[in-house]
């Protein structure tokens, strides 16, 4: 079915589609960009699907990158941006539940749309044809439904990543998962074990950063949570999930909120299992630790916290405390502001005495230097006015 609607395409996409058409082939914007534009969302990227073979696409454009020739994808460069142009294709048999054993090019757009995962992702658009919608994508888009193209069990069996994509789109768009699609997710859930942990992590991160992070609970309801990494099933604490959307959509914060019922160590193990980058693991772990630490409402304690966590981690920990209903956060923030305003010393680097000064004052090189520094630092955290070179050296001599 062709639906006569006019979509605003970016200039570069019009240019790419126009050049391919001028060379005598078909070309359409397709997939996520059509879906998002119809929803009034800004697409992350624009994909083009075409009847032209990759060699033909390369011959049409001056500047291209061979992104995935065996899958028919060429990236066309225009105005310093890249546009993926993929030849219409039929995916061959899937044996590993993740990658088609082969792909076959086809001159038929409908064959290409049929291989796509969900009806809302299986629409193509060009100014000439309007929206090409063979699977009721427009209707599902209006009704807010995620529905497989074709038989759900077959589609999830072919590619188990789609199990998570269904949940992720539901969370990003606020859509319901259609009944038979949902039933198939439950049935095929064990196949998720075949998907690489990096890809699982990337989908879960998108889900957590979405407008509906609370839908992470669907993992539990569908049985997918048991297939993610050991220990993952234990992290479900639904009471807090409804609050997750109050956290800014930042990767460490949303993950920390999700894992808040775990110890920092357990959270680290889950994230390591998911091949998360070390920087994020560190921030999540520290935020959880900070959130669980009792923080007395007095400046020395707040200074100490400021010395032990980066500003980003401490603020994250405070946001998590708020999520848990702590009434103290506002006061802690106020104390922190005053400490910053007064320029109180909150790190060894800011202390008026350094290791070098102690050596010059005759302290023997060795563990003693660190011990004295730490003692002086404790003193300064308690009495910031004592962050004075002479005063501290005097104190050091007393030790
Ligand atoms: P986003 O870019 O927001 O993640 P998207 O729908 O554009 O969402 P992409 O991964 O960019 O998703 O894929 C582009 C299109 O390719 C999809 O809209 C869909 O038509 C198709 N597609 C992607 N991954 C799969 C898959 N695993 N199975 C079937 N079709 C897929
Ligand atoms: Mg996309």
């Amino acid at each position: 079915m062709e639906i006569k609607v006019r979509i605003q395409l970016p200039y570069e996409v019009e240019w790419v589609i126009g050049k391919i058409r001028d060379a005598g082939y078909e070309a359409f914007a397709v997939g996520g960009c059509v879906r998002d534009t119809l929803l009034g969302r800004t697409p992350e990227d624009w994909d083009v699907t075409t009847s032209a073979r990759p060699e033909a696409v390369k011959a049409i454009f001056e500047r291209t990158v061979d992104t995935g020739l065996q899958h028919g994808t060429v990236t066309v460069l225009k105005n310093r941006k890249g546009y993926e142009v993929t030849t219409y294709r039929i995916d061959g048999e899937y044996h590993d539940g993740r990658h088609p054993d082969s792909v076959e090019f086809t001159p038929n757009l409908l064959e290409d749309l049929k291989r796509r995962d969900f009806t809302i992702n299986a629409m193509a658009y060009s100014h000439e044809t309007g929206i090409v919608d063979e699977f009721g994508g427009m209707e599902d888009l209006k009704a807010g439904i995620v529905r497989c193209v074709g038989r759900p069990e077959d589609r999830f069996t072919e590619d188990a990543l789609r199990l998570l994509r269904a949940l992720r789109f539901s969370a990003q768009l606020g859509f319901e998962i259609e009944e038979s699609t949902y039933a198939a997710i439950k049935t095929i859930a064990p196949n998720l074990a075949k998907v690489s942990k990096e890809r699982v992590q990337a989908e879960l991160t998108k889900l957590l950063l979405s407008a509906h992070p609370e839908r992470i609970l669907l993992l539990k309801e569908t049985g997918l949570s048991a297939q993610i990494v050991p220990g993952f099933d234990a992290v479900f604490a639904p009471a807090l999930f409804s609050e997750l959307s109050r956290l800014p959509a930042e990767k460490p914060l949303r993950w920390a909120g999700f894992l808040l019922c775990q110890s920092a160590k357990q959270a680290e193990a889950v994230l390591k299992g998911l091949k998360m980058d070390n920087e994020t693991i560190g921030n999540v772990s520290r935020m959880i630790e900070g959130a669980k630490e009792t923080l007395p409402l007095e400046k020395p304690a707040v200074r100490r916290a400021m010395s032990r966590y980066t500003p980003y981690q401490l603020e994250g920990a405070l946001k998590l405390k708020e999520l848990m209903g702590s009434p103290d956060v506002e006061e802690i923030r106020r104390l922190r502001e005053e400490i910053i305003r007064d320029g109180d010393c909150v790190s060894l680097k800011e202390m008026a005495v350094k290791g070098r000064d102690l050596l010059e004052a005759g302290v023997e090189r060795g563990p003693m230097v660190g011990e004295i520094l730490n003692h002086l630092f404790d003193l300064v955290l308690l009495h910031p006015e004592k962050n004075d070179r002479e005063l501290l050296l005097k104190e050091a001599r007393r030790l």
Side-chain angles (χ1 to χ4, degrees), residues 31-33 35-36 44-45 47 98 115-117 121-122 155 159 161-162 165 168-169 172 206:
C33 58
R35 176 199 70 219
D36 287 343
E44 288 217 355
D45 39 38
D47 296 321
R98 182 62 201 112
R115 75 169 168 91
R116 296 174 183 270
D117 46 7
N121 288 346
R155 305 313 311 282
D159 177 3
L161 184 68
R162 292 172 189 155
R165 283 175 60 91
R168 187 255 286 192
F169 287 121
Q172 284 182 325
K206 284 185 186 177

Side-chain angles (χ1 to χ4, degrees), residues 69-332:
L69 282 188
Q70 68 283 31
H71 295 111
T73 303
V74 173
T75 299
V76 174
L77 301 173
K78 176 71 176 170
N79 293 343
R80 279 188 232 100
K81 278 171 284 186
Y83 298 87
E84 287 198 353
V85 177
T86 304
T87 306
Y88 298 161
R89 64 179 217 220
I90 304 171
D91 292 345
E93 295 270 310
Y94 283 70
H95 281 115
D96 62 356
R98 182 62 201 112
H99 303 99
D101 300 343
S102 60
V103 301
E104 189 189 318
F105 297 137
T106 163
N108 187 345
L109 171 65
L110 292 191
E111 292 291 339
D112 181 81
L113 295 179
K114 215 195 260 177
R115 75 169 168 91
R116 296 174 183 270
D117 46 7
F118 305 111
T119 60
I120 54 171
N121 288 346
M123 291 184 278
Y125 174 85
S126 72
H127 289 325
E128 289 75 9
T129 57
I131 293 166
V132 182
D133 175 20
E134 289 302 313
F135 307 101
M138 273 297 247
E139 216 171 287
D140 286 341
L141 210 53
K142 285 201 186 110
I145 291 174
V146 178
R147 181 199 310 269
C148 282
V149 173
R151 262 179 53 103
E153 278 170 35
D154 298 345
R155 305 313 311 282
F156 290 128
T157 307
E158 280 169 7
D159 177 3
L161 184 68
R162 292 172 189 155
L163 297 160
L164 285 184
R165 283 175 60 91
L167 270 55
R168 187 255 286 192
F169 287 121
S170 155
Q172 284 182 325
L173 307 173
F175 281 21
E176 296 308 316
I177 300 175
E178 179 274 329
E179 208 179 309
S180 70
T181 299
Y182 192 78
I185 295 176
K186 285 182 160 175
T187 312
I188 311 299
N191 286 18
L192 187 64
K194 301 179 190 181
V195 177
S196 82
K197 298 308 171 201
E198 288 87 345
R199 296 190 100 113
V200 170
Q201 187 263 105
E203 286 299 323
L204 295 182
T205 296
K206 284 185 186 177
L207 198 163
L208 285 171
L209 293 180
S210 73
H212 295 280
E214 74 282 358
R215 298 209 177 187
I216 194 87
L217 191 57
L218 287 173
L219 285 176
K220 186 79 174 175
E221 286 175 18
T222 50
L224 287 167
S225 54
Q227 310 297 332
I228 294 184
V229 283
F232 192 84
D233 217 14
V235 310
F236 282 82
L240 277 180
F241 292 171
S242 57
E243 309 289 309
L244 282 179
S245 62
R246 283 172 45 206
L247 292 172
E250 291 164 22
K251 189 164 150 182
L253 257 175
R254 290 274 174 103
W255 270 103
F258 171 55
L259 296 171
L260 197 51
C261 283
Q262 302 289 291
S263 69
K265 279 266 162 303
Q266 286 166 318
E268 272 179 36
V270 164
L271 293 176
K272 274 209 180 87
L274 285 172
K275 308 279 161 70
M276 182 66 86
D277 62 281
N278 286 332
E279 189 187 345
T280 305
I281 297 181
N283 282 330
V284 171
S285 157
R286 299 289 285 147
M287 283 177 188
I288 292 179
E289 225 174 291
K292 294 185 175 173
E293 200 172 300
T294 333
L295 198 49
L297 294 178
E298 40 189 54
K299 281 190 180 175
V302 177
R303 284 189 208 104
R304 179 167 300 280
M306 290 169 75
S307 79
R308 296 186 48 229
Y309 298 94
T310 68
Y312 182 63
Q313 290 165 351
L314 183 59
E315 180 51 32
L318 293 180
K319 289 207 162 74
L320 295 175
K321 273 181 181 290
E322 272 177 326
L323 210 64
M324 295 189 292
S326 160
D328 296 345
V329 174
E330 214 175 310
E331 178 64 5
I332 297 172

